[in-house]
Amino acid sequence: MSTMLDGGYRFETFVIGASNRLAASAARAVAEAPGTAYNPLFVYGGSGFGKTHLVAAIAYQARQAQPDLRVEFSTGEEVAERLHRAIATGQQAEFARRYQDIDLLLLDDVQFLTGQRETQTELLRLFNMMQGKGRQVVMTSDRPPAEIPDVDQRLLSRLSGGLIVDVGAPDYEMRLAILRNACIERTLEFGDGVLEETARLPFGNVRELKGALNRLSAFQHLDGAAIAPHDVRAVLGEGASVVDVHATHPSDTGTEYEGFLADVLHEVETRVEPWRVHLGEACTFWRNEGYVTAVLERAMQWPTAPDVNGLLATYAAAVEHLRNLEVQALAVDPSLRGHPSFRNPESIAEAQTLLDRAIASALPLPQPQPTLTRSALESGSANQFALKAFDAVLEHPGQRYNPLYLHGPSGVGKTHLAHALGNAVRAAWPRKAVACLTAATFVEELVAAMQEGGVERWRSRYRAADVFILDDVHHLADKERTQDELFHLFNHVYDRGGQIVLTSDRAPREISGLADRLRSRFEGGLVAALQPPDRALRERLVHRWLLEAGQEPTQQIVSTIADRDVGSARELVGLMTRLLAAAELSDRPLTLDLVQRELGILRQTPTAFPMGALTAGVIDDFYLDREKILWDWPELAGRLIEEYR
């Protein structure tokens, strides 16, 4: 069963205020009498307002009252994906049977069904069937039904035919209550007035609010000092947006075996002995087919009869799913034939992981650059907080500060830090699979997979990652399909306990064209900013680089170079490259006189720079691309000739 239905979200933990009172009352009524009150129930509101919490609480409360209630929790996209897969494999009938016996159907984020007419038609049939049988449907969306574009009018009328309620942003009192509840749940302690001051900040949703609590906790833990009320705004910022790292997202596992245990637990009032014979015959058949029948054998020991037909149908569906997984796995690695994970209907998650890892082995995950290591990083005020977070993540990947989001201007070391973390995890945790790539490469690979019809294999490749590092995520702006894929990949890696690391040149809320559901997840762990190196850090970097280059790092030389005000560590690297090139080309050590002369020349004009240093390698190191050379020196040919003369 999905983690959304395990009791983590209950009415008792849902803070009620003016913005959600009607929605909460309607949800309770539905939970107490599914199928009789407000059917369908349509809950809408912005990301992070508590829609998913509310519908998950409905399922939990309803099952507490009726343990044999059959519940299905899916997203609109998951339903669409299952339908497409069923059509592709000719299993439309199996798709219909999956839902025909459900008592309570919960559909999250139905706005993503926009334009999917075939899926909408199937949902219309499903709704008609469920309502005809008196079964409950609950849906959520980020907008009311009338504002969802390109929806079949018949389906729209069904969506609008029940009760439509909205959940809004929390007010001050709600924010304070939410913060206090979260502190109790997570055993967090703050000084007097800290929560009150946090609640006064204009957070737009519950995820942002809990994320702010996560950031306060991180600062308090990493700095080793209690946060005072007057520190809150300095730590979070007036407009800071941080989201709960512990927010649980709908699982992307999506197997037909969901609800299996619920079906097993279904009991009838009278014992009918022939049912044991029926189950025994089924056990014999499936064992002969090579499948583990432990779940059926346990059912035979029950004092009363379960829903035998339903149990056997669910078991058969699970076997069919395993067969499909095995076929995909064998196409990649024939040695996996007969693997135990493909023979146990209770191990579908393990079988999926095995498939993902097989694909990842056949198509190795992109790795971090081996030269970018933690030892090559110098600590200073500009990156100290990020490095502390680095060490915390390395100690327990996937458990603390997940995701880790690094942002700052170009050249401050974001990419180096992310790659260094990937290399450190590989060294400390050899069995963890690490994927490290740029957002641009991520987009290119998806486009290529779509062209070649290999999207499923592409997905499985990255779902095998235990640590997923994505550099320059701002390049995903306005790329809706790629963002959808990243959303599901994020949830999959996160729900499996994997670590996610992201970098960008700006904070998540500053990336225009980024979906709110991604933004809230990016901000859900720890957002750490990196700044250009200060004077002390520049001195340490210069001293280190001079030693590595075999030059004597005298205090005068180090200070003179460090006095140079650069905008990033990358600029400092370019400056050092020029100085060392000048020393090498003059065939003498780097002296204070040479440094002063070269720095003086650099402050004047590029035409006065020694011709000998203008090699392609030096230019490429200092200037990030060749276009910049032409931009800065529009008369390059004439200037080179002039310099040569």
Side-chain angles (χ1 to χ4, degrees):
M1 182 62 64
S2 169
T3 56
M4 301 304 299
L5 307 182
D6 63 3
Y9 292 105
R10 306 186 304 277
F11 287 121
E12 291 79 6
T13 59
F14 187 80
V15 177
I16 300 175
S19 63
N20 61 16
R21 193 177 306 280
L22 177 60
S25 298
R28 281 189 175 275
V30 169
E32 292 171 359
T36 60
Y38 313 131
N39 191 20
L41 176 64
F42 193 99
V43 184
Y44 72 93
S47 179
F49 284 3
K51 305 184 300 295
T52 302
H53 186 145
L54 206 55
V55 297
I58 292 175
Y60 178 77
Q61 186 70 25
R63 291 182 66 192
Q64 289 294 107
Q66 305 179 54
D68 60 341
L69 197 71
R70 288 163 292 194
V71 180
E72 171 75 17
F73 190 113
S74 300
T75 67
E77 286 180 301
E78 287 174 340
V79 172
E81 187 175 337
R82 287 176 187 146
L83 177 59
H84 298 160
R85 191 161 52 241
I87 294 173
T89 57
Q91 297 180 330
Q92 295 95 319
E94 285 77 7
F95 174 84
R97 282 196 294 271
R98 175 186 176 89
Y99 296 98
Q100 65 183 6
D101 295 326
I102 294 172
D103 300 310
L104 173 57
L105 176 63
L106 309 162
L107 287 181
D108 204 16
D109 290 335
V110 298
Q111 72 272 7
F112 294 109
L113 297 178
T114 295
Q116 303 192 44
R117 291 288 179 170
E118 195 168 19
T119 305
Q120 293 177 21
T121 300
E122 287 296 328
L123 280 180
L124 182 62
R125 295 173 184 166
L126 177 62
F127 290 168
N128 289 337
M129 181 272 295
M130 294 194 69
Q131 288 186 313
K133 295 183 178 181
R135 295 168 180 174
Q136 182 70 50
V137 178
V138 181
M139 292 162 285
T140 76
S141 174
D142 63 357
R143 69 203 76 174
E147 296 181 10
I148 303 176
D150 197 14
V151 175
D152 187 295
Q153 288 300 312
R154 298 171 299 169
L155 179 60
L156 186 61
S157 68
R158 298 296 191 282
L159 298 179
S160 306
L163 178 64
I164 301 174
V165 292
D166 71 309
V167 290
D171 53 21
Y172 169 78
E173 290 78 10
M174 282 185 65
R175 293 197 293 266
L176 183 57
I178 291 168
L179 287 171
R180 288 174 175 173
N181 283 354
C183 285
I184 294 173
E185 293 174 4
R186 298 168 56 183
T187 62
L188 299 177
E189 294 185 5
F190 295 98
D192 294 340
V194 171
L195 297 183
E196 289 79 358
E197 186 65 22
T198 304
R200 293 188 183 97
L201 292 174
F203 296 107
N205 58 53
V206 178
R207 285 201 185 113
E208 291 182 2
L209 187 62
K210 291 185 175 180
L213 192 67
N214 187 58
R215 186 168 178 83
L216 292 173
S217 174
F219 269 83
Q220 196 165 254
H221 175 77
L222 294 175
D223 290 350
I227 291 178
H230 63 267
D231 296 325
V232 170
R233 293 177 184 269
V235 173
L236 300 179
E238 292 285 345
S241 174
V242 258
V243 189
D244 184 16
V245 66
H246 300 293
T248 308
H249 318 304
S251 173
D252 198 34
T253 56
T255 72
E256 288 80 358
Y257 200 56
E258 285 184 346
F260 181 76
L261 293 181
D263 290 337
V264 175
L265 297 177
H266 180 71
E267 298 179 12
V268 296
E269 295 182 355
T270 58
R271 177 182 300 182
V272 182
E273 290 300 328
W275 64 267
R276 299 184 190 274
V277 178
H278 193 183
L279 284 178
E281 292 173 347
C283 287
T284 301
F285 173 81
W286 288 116
R287 279 199 297 267
N288 291 336
E289 292 291 314
Y291 291 92
V292 176
T293 59
V295 66
L296 301 179
E297 294 168 10
R298 290 196 299 270
M300 292 178 61
Q301 305 304 315
W302 283 47
T304 55
D307 178 6
V308 175
N309 291 332
L311 174 59
L312 294 180
T314 302
Y315 186 94
V319 169
E320 184 62 26
H321 187 69
L322 286 174
R323 285 172 174 168
N324 291 334
L325 292 177
E326 186 175 16
V327 168
Q328 297 178 58
L330 294 179
V332 179
D333 184 359
S335 67
L336 292 176
R337 184 180 301 276
H339 192 281
S341 296
F342 297 123
R343 294 292 182 265
N344 188 353
E346 294 181 283
S347 302
I348 288 184
E350 290 82 353
Q352 183 67 59
T353 299
L354 188 66
L355 169 61
D356 293 343
R357 293 192 180 279
I359 293 176
S361 298
L363 300 170
L365 294 169
Q367 297 298 299
Q369 297 182 30
T371 57
L372 302 180
T373 62
R374 174 68 169 86
S375 60
L377 292 167
E378 291 286 345
S379 177
S381 60
N383 62 6
Q384 187 175 27
F385 182 74
L387 288 175
K388 287 184 177 180
F390 177 112
D391 295 334
V393 169
L394 179 60
E395 186 177 357
H396 298 292
Q399 297 183 26
R400 298 186 61 189
Y401 313 136
N402 193 20
L404 176 62
Y405 188 101
L406 307 172
H407 71 95
S410 179
V412 297
K414 307 181 298 296
T415 298
H416 189 144
L417 194 62
H419 281 250
L421 182 56
N423 286 319
V425 169
R426 293 184 66 197
W429 306 84
R431 301 189 65 176
K432 289 188 180 295
V434 177
C436 183
L437 71 163
T438 66
T441 301
F442 192 74
V443 174
E444 292 172 2
E445 288 186 358
L446 174 59
V447 173
M450 293 170 63
Q451 292 174 331
E452 299 167 0
V455 174
E456 284 295 333
R457 177 171 293 191
W458 177 84
R459 288 172 181 161
S460 295
R461 180 190 184 196
Y462 285 108
R463 288 179 181 180
D466 300 302
V467 178
F468 182 73
I469 302 170
L470 192 63
D471 198 16
D472 291 336
V473 295
H474 50 273
H475 288 311
L476 299 182
D478 298 320
K479 296 177 174 64
E480 297 180 359
R481 174 61 191 273
T482 307
Q483 291 187 33
D484 286 343
E485 292 292 342
L486 180 59
F487 171 77
H488 292 296
L489 175 60
F490 185 109
N491 288 345
H492 185 86
V493 175
Y494 184 94
D495 291 341
R496 286 178 50 243
Q499 178 68 48
I500 300 167
V501 181
L502 309 159
T503 79
S504 176
D505 62 359
R506 69 204 79 166
R509 67 169 32 226
E510 297 173 359
I511 304 176
S512 61
L514 183 67
D516 287 340
R517 59 179 182 168
L518 274 182
R519 181 180 290 106
S520 67
R521 283 159 175 78
F522 287 178
E523 295 174 339
L526 184 62
V527 179
L530 287 86
Q531 303 296 332
D534 57 17
R535 178 67 167 70
L537 181 55
R538 292 200 299 271
E539 276 199 3
R540 289 197 297 275
L541 289 172
V542 171
H543 187 277
R544 176 174 181 164
W545 292 337
L546 288 174
L547 284 176
E548 292 175 353
Q551 301 287 343
E552 183 180 358
T554 67
Q555 185 58 46
Q556 287 182 312
I557 292 177
V558 172
S559 297
T560 301
I561 300 174
D563 284 338
R564 185 82 175 183
D565 190 16
V566 296
S568 69
R570 186 176 290 135
E571 290 185 30
L572 187 60
V573 171
L575 177 61
M576 289 295 300
T577 300
R578 281 176 171 261
L579 293 174
L580 293 172
E584 181 180 354
L585 294 170
S586 64
D587 198 24
R588 58 192 179 95
L590 188 65
T591 62
L592 179 62
D593 178 67
L594 179 60
V595 170
Q596 290 174 334
R597 179 163 59 84
E598 294 297 328
L599 292 181
I601 292 171
L602 289 173
R603 282 194 292 269
Q604 295 172 14
T605 169
T607 61
F609 190 77
M611 178 62 192
L614 296 179
T615 63
V618 173
I619 292 174
D620 289 344
D621 283 340
F622 186 72
Y623 295 104
L624 300 183
D625 56 66
R626 300 179 186 274
E627 291 180 359
K628 186 173 177 62
I629 301 171
L630 300 178
W631 179 261
D632 289 347
W633 296 342
E635 300 178 6
L636 180 60
R639 293 177 183 261
L640 290 175
I641 294 172
E642 188 178 291
E643 183 65 30
Y644 179 78
R645 290 173 176 171

